[in-house]
Amino acid sequence: MKLPLPPFPTALKPKPKRPGEAERVKPLDQAKEAGIATADWVDERTSLSGVARWTMFRKVPKGTNWFYTLGSATLFAFLSQAVTGVFLAMYYDPSVTNAYESARHITNDVFLGEFVRGMHKWGSTVMVILVCLHMARTFFFGAYKYPRELNWVVGVVLLILTFVMAFTGYLLPFDQRSYWATIVGVNINGTGPLVGPFLSDFLRGGAEFGSTTLSRFYAIHMLLLPGAIIALIGVHLYLVTRLGTTAPPWLRVESGDGIREENV
């Protein structure tokens, strides 16, 4: 037997029109109807509403607090880095002779250039701090255990890529500090076992530190790393949605509440 549908809420029913009231549609209502019609048209052809409901409407464990926002804050920091990086790339010249001058031009001459460059510079530091705090929260809360081991591995790779992103971006202003600091960093990488010397040669673009090094760092920083990070963030978010989040370790599951045992 099919149960009847629940009654439609009275508050959502349209108000009856008064006698003699003219048919007049307000611009705001017309805009809302147009937006709803457009969304329905897109959803009918893509079925994105189901994906949105699956992603947004999910169960959250008891005791969720501000520690659980570190992942979202890291994602916001990455998006800020991506947006500001695009604007900086419009004026930056990745050449040995013009890199420093283009950075100076962005800071001193371009409208809001100093603000955008400052956001990108300090945003990288904020992103590194947030991703480290997020990994620490995941570790101390035990969120790396079954069945979330794969998501922990993806997070570790994202942590490494974040460090590499910060390292490759440090050379781009091509001033004295970034030049010599990058030489030290590349030499440290060269002391690693087995792959160290090959990694050092790859970063330098040869045996010596030169113009190829700057263009290689720029390509890695602007093309390779952002694409890899975006792909892994998609996998990371899918696994978080698929597997859910863990409750804080100080909360224990209360056994026996609402459980009824029956003998069969």
Side-chain angles (χ1 to χ4, degrees):
M1 181 178 179
K2 188 176 181 181
L3 298 176
L5 296 175
F8 196 76
T10 307
L12 298 179
K13 294 182 179 179
K15 296 180 180 180
K17 296 182 180 180
R18 298 177 182 178
E21 184 178 4
E23 293 287 342
R24 184 177 59 183
V25 180
K26 297 181 180 179
L28 182 60
D29 296 337
Q30 190 174 5
K32 289 181 179 179
E33 292 179 0
I36 294 173
T38 303
D40 291 339
W41 185 87
V42 174
D43 183 62
E44 185 179 359
R45 289 152 178 81
T46 59
S47 300
L48 290 177
S49 60
V51 178
R53 285 194 298 267
W54 181 76
T55 305
M56 303 299 295
F57 299 97
R58 51 193 175 91
K59 295 182 179 180
V60 178
K62 183 180 179 181
T64 301
N65 49 34
W66 286 101
F67 288 109
Y68 288 82
T69 62
L70 292 172
S72 301
T74 307
L75 177 60
F76 178 81
F78 172 74
L79 294 177
S80 175
Q81 290 298 99
V83 173
T84 54
V86 168
F87 284 106
L88 291 176
M90 295 179 182
Y91 298 93
Y92 179 74
D93 185 2
S95 63
V96 175
T97 55
N98 297 327
Y100 177 78
E101 181 60 28
S102 63
R104 188 205 62 79
H105 172 69
I106 292 172
T107 304
N108 299 331
D109 302 330
V110 177
F111 175 70
L112 293 179
E114 185 177 6
F115 174 74
V116 175
R117 187 184 175 191
M119 284 188 62
H120 195 76
K121 175 183 177 180
W122 294 107
S124 63
T125 304
V126 171
M127 183 176 174
V128 170
I129 294 174
L130 287 175
V131 73
C132 290
L133 291 176
H134 180 53
M135 294 295 292
R137 198 279 303 173
T138 304
F139 177 78
F140 288 113
F141 280 32
Y144 59 90
K145 300 178 182 178
Y146 175 85
R148 301 175 179 85
E149 301 95 335
L150 179 59
N151 210 15
W152 170 258
V153 174
V154 174
V156 171
V157 176
L158 283 172
L159 175 67
I160 296 173
L161 292 181
T162 302
F163 289 156
V164 178
M165 177 77 82
F167 177 68
T168 54
Y170 194 77
L171 176 65
L172 300 186
F174 213 68
D175 52 8
Q176 288 292 325
R177 180 172 57 181
S178 63
Y179 177 83
W180 294 108
T182 304
I183 289 180
V184 173
V186 172
N187 290 337
I188 291 175
N189 290 328
T191 60
L194 299 179
V195 299
F198 299 99
L199 179 60
S200 182
D201 290 340
F202 171 76
L203 291 176
R204 284 194 301 261
E208 299 294 335
F209 197 96
S211 59
T212 308
T213 308
L214 179 61
S215 60
R216 180 157 298 190
F217 269 58
Y218 179 75
I220 294 174
H221 186 77
M222 284 295 299
L223 301 176
L224 181 62
L225 292 178
I229 290 177
I230 291 173
L232 289 177
I233 286 177
V235 175
H236 192 68
L237 293 178
Y238 169 77
L239 292 175
V240 169
T241 306
R242 176 69 177 81
L243 303 173
T245 55
T246 57
W250 56 82
L251 292 180
R252 295 183 178 180
V253 178
E254 298 179 0
S255 60
D257 292 348
I259 300 178
R260 183 178 61 183
E261 296 181 358
E262 295 182 357
N263 295 325
V264 181

